[in-house]
Amino acid sequence: VVMYHILPNGMEKVKKACPRVYDMLRTVINDVRGKGDKAKVDARFKFIPRVVTGPFIVRCAVKETPVIMGQKVTQAYYSGDNYLEVDVHVDSSYAANAIIKLAHAYSVNIECDMVWLLEAKEEKELPERLLAGVRLSNVDFSKSEGKPLQGSQA
């Protein structure tokens, strides 16, 4: 699944609305562009999933617990003048891959919220604010033309 989240008015609107989030995001972008400490960037992106509706087994497997993505799965970062790309390799973690495969099997019966934010590392960065969010509903992966997940039936 590929998702794009766009700042329609760019970073200047973020700077005006919430300077601390702007500073955090600018630091991450600078670390990515400058080939800085990848561990610092890995420690910033937080993900919170929530299964709104779905089979009991999926709701049990997908915890509504925030997770620092870079500590659980491999991520790659790319940045340019108008973008920051975060590639999340969920198949790099046995546990994450197992949960994705389980959800994949029941996908036409699932409604799932996913939100991303930057982890606050200092008190001055609190409270945390959402960067992006999406709700996926009744996704039918059988109609996709992508590569099937390892171990799934194709």
Side-chain angles (χ1 to χ4, degrees):
V1 175
V2 176
M3 290 179 235
Y4 292 94
H5 303 280
I6 299 170
L7 297 170
N9 299 319
M11 289 288 285
E12 288 307 310
K13 187 162 185 176
V14 174
K15 186 176 186 177
K16 185 182 268 186
C18 192
R20 71 186 153 69
V21 171
Y22 172 85
D23 290 343
M24 292 168 66
L25 194 52
R26 178 61 47 209
T27 299
V28 167
I29 290 169
N30 289 342
D31 283 343
V32 169
R33 282 189 183 164
K35 305 295 184 206
D37 185 1
K38 184 177 180 304
K40 279 177 40 183
V41 179
D42 281 345
R44 281 288 190 173
F45 285 98
K46 185 184 288 187
F47 172 69
I48 306 172
R50 177 175 168 254
V51 176
V52 179
T53 58
F56 179 75
I57 190 167
V58 175
R59 286 184 282 127
C60 288
V62 179
K63 307 290 186 220
E64 292 181 26
T65 305
V67 61
I68 304 300
M69 294 295 294
Q71 294 175 350
K72 301 294 182 182
V73 295
T74 302
Q75 296 185 142
Y77 308 96
Y78 308 94
S79 180
D81 290 337
N82 289 325
Y83 72 92
L84 171 64
E85 178 180 334
V86 181
D87 292 349
V88 181
H89 302 266
V90 294
D91 59 349
S92 66
S93 160
Y94 177 79
N97 198 31
I99 291 169
I100 294 294
K101 281 197 268 186
L102 175 67
H104 187 271
Y106 293 101
S107 65
V108 294
N109 300 316
I110 294 175
E111 187 171 51
C112 180
D113 292 338
M114 297 184 286
V115 297
W116 295 267
L117 54 148
L118 292 177
E119 168 84 352
K121 296 295 182 186
E122 301 175 24
E123 191 170 337
K124 70 180 183 178
E125 297 174 339
L126 293 170
E128 295 174 338
R129 304 253 325 242
L130 295 182
L131 288 178
V134 66
R135 175 171 281 183
L136 297 178
S137 190
N138 306 324
V139 177
D140 187 351
F141 286 105
S142 70
K143 295 181 179 177
S144 71
E145 295 182 16
K147 178 182 169 188
L149 292 170
Q150 289 181 337
S152 65
Q153 301 291 325

